[in-house]
Amino acid sequence: MSPATLAELRRPRPYPAVSVLTPTHRRDPYKTQDQVRLRNAVAEAKRQLEADPAVSRERRAEVARHLDQALSEVDLTHAEDGLAIFAASGEHQVWSLARPVPERVVLSDTFLTRNLVSAQTAERPFWVLSLSADRATLWNGGVDRVAEERADGFPLTRRVENFDPERQQRVGDLASAFREERTRQFLREADTAMSTVLREHPRPLYVTGPPAALALLDEVGSATKGAVHVPHGGLAHGTPESVWQAVRPVIETEARRNTEAVTRTLETARGRREFAAGVDELWQSARDGRVRLLAVEENYRVTVREAGDHLILAESGDLEGREDIVDEIVEQCLETGADVRFVPDGTLREADGIAGVLRY
């Protein structure tokens, strides 16, 4: 989800813009119940449309048709942890989320996006650029997988005359392919294409390839200067699984370093009295735009309800409860320019699962 896509989703629509959120499951026995739950949620959305006097008969029929079309497009075979259906006049969208969502139907003049934003942030997406002398492949990475991304010109390929990497490796001359001016130009093109991707979808970048390719990219590139190098050849022509196995140890090491850095930053903030913890305090600070860094445990969820200017804990299923308050805080912090980090469960035990550094 790019910033442009998010901005388009948040654009006001003619009433009603319908958001249908429902939890889904990756495995049985609950997985088999997802289809029934989803159909019931869509039926509830139609019931609310029917009961709303502000919705004309024509608009009601049109939005209901888009809800049916969205439902027909849902494939629960590869379900993740949540699903969002958006429907309005002239449009519908279906989003699968790698983070649980509450069961909810909302009629408004905008779509309910906070669960999408939180799910994407929690997934910590990244890019992998795999290089060889004749191919540059882009991989879209998430929590536990990568998939080839065919966009912005990728994969880039070029014809190399008399190029036999296996023979060059046997005779110890693999690096010569990366001393040719044509190869230098090819890697410049890959760097330029990568700059377009990073501008539209800024994420951490990992670059794989033979050491000679990585060294040359550092020399001729600019957009890839801050990338993490993974010296591993053959992945430009590899499978998603082979790429994932190559980058996984590096990504896990980077994640541990990031978690340690977040922990140190929180401790420093505590000493400077710039520290906040718990959903109530952070909910208020996020609304005031005071949060500079937000840290959330990966699976931290809590149901609350409002009691005046404060939040108090509530039971799941409470009619006045807000089951996605954590996602709401995450989205609000991102909107005000905060750095949001998800950390392993147990990291923020003393802060009840959520903590932040305040700007003032």
Side-chain angles (χ1 to χ4, degrees):
M1 182 172 60
S2 68
T5 301
L6 181 58
E8 170 60 22
L9 283 174
R10 286 174 165 163
R11 175 178 57 80
R13 264 85 174 165
Y15 186 84
V18 181
S19 302
V20 178
L21 273 65
T22 181
T24 53
H25 301 83
R26 299 171 188 253
R27 299 176 183 85
D28 285 329
Y30 302 106
K31 185 179 176 67
T32 56
Q33 303 171 12
D34 289 345
Q35 189 67 52
V36 174
R37 181 183 292 109
L38 179 58
R39 288 187 179 279
N40 289 341
V42 171
E44 171 61 19
K46 290 181 179 179
R47 188 196 66 77
Q48 291 190 25
L49 284 171
E50 188 72 30
D52 193 333
V55 183
S56 68
R57 179 184 300 178
E58 294 77 11
R59 182 63 55 82
R60 183 186 307 128
E62 182 183 9
V63 175
R65 186 174 68 255
H66 279 286
L67 283 169
D68 287 336
Q69 289 175 356
L71 184 61
S72 70
E73 294 170 9
V74 172
D75 179 8
L76 292 175
T77 306
H78 305 290
E80 297 183 281
D81 300 309
L83 191 74
I85 289 178
F86 299 138
S89 177
E91 63 176 318
H92 64 272
Q93 298 189 37
V94 178
W95 292 81
S96 178
L97 310 178
R99 184 170 168 83
V101 299
E103 193 163 320
R104 174 173 291 181
V105 174
V106 177
L107 274 61
S108 183
D109 59 355
T110 59
F111 294 136
L112 186 65
T113 60
R114 60 175 173 253
N115 305 96
L116 268 71
V117 173
S118 183
Q120 188 199 37
T121 306
E123 188 157 307
R124 296 189 293 271
F126 58 89
W127 296 116
V128 179
L129 176 63
S130 295
L131 302 173
S132 68
D134 64 336
R135 185 180 176 92
T137 306
L138 182 63
W139 308 91
N140 186 344
V143 170
D144 56 2
R145 64 193 181 278
V146 300
E148 186 175 353
E149 183 80 5
R150 291 180 173 268
D152 296 298
F154 286 103
L156 275 67
T157 59
R158 75 180 185 110
R159 182 167 181 166
V160 181
E161 299 294 337
N162 301 319
F163 179 60
D164 183 352
E166 291 185 2
R167 177 185 176 281
Q168 290 183 343
Q169 193 166 29
R170 286 197 303 271
V171 301
D173 194 30
L174 183 60
S176 65
F178 297 98
R179 290 197 289 267
E180 297 178 353
E181 181 55 37
R182 286 176 298 176
T183 306
R184 295 171 67 89
Q185 180 59 35
F186 177 66
L187 293 191
R188 283 195 196 98
E189 292 171 3
D191 181 82
T192 300
M194 196 68 233
S195 70
T196 301
V197 174
L198 292 172
R199 184 166 58 251
E200 296 176 356
H201 304 272
R203 302 179 185 178
L205 172 63
Y206 299 84
V207 181
T208 76
L214 300 179
L216 181 56
L217 183 68
D218 260 357
E219 181 182 335
V220 303
S222 57
T224 53
K225 285 291 186 186
V228 177
H229 286 188
V230 182
H232 192 303
L235 298 180
H237 296 270
T239 64
E241 181 61 22
S242 64
V243 175
W244 171 243
Q245 293 303 327
V247 301
R248 179 178 180 178
V250 181
I251 290 170
E252 290 176 346
T253 299
E254 288 292 308
R256 285 193 296 270
R257 288 175 181 167
N258 288 335
T259 298
E260 292 166 0
V262 168
T263 302
R264 289 194 300 269
T265 301
L266 291 172
E267 285 301 319
T268 301
R270 193 190 295 269
R272 294 177 177 173
R273 298 186 178 180
E274 298 172 349
F275 178 82
V279 288
D280 184 38
E281 187 174 358
L282 282 163
W283 176 62
Q284 296 185 59
S285 297
R287 289 191 301 169
D288 295 337
R290 294 182 59 204
V291 181
R292 178 166 60 86
L293 168 69
L294 179 72
V296 186
E297 290 187 355
E298 289 169 347
N299 294 299
Y300 177 63
R301 314 291 291 179
V302 64
T303 302
V304 300
R305 57 186 172 88
E306 290 188 49
D309 293 334
H310 294 277
L311 301 177
I312 59 175
L313 295 179
E315 296 294 328
S316 180
D318 187 325
L319 293 179
E320 297 182 357
R322 298 167 66 172
E323 297 180 44
D324 58 351
I325 189 65
V326 174
D327 289 357
E328 183 177 332
I329 292 171
V330 167
E331 186 186 45
Q332 186 64 51
C333 287
L334 288 169
E335 284 187 351
T336 54
D339 183 11
V340 177
R341 306 286 188 91
F342 282 83
V343 298
D345 293 344
T347 303
L348 307 173
R349 189 176 294 107
E350 295 181 1
D352 293 329
I354 186 168
V357 179
L358 304 180
R359 292 190 171 102
Y360 55 89

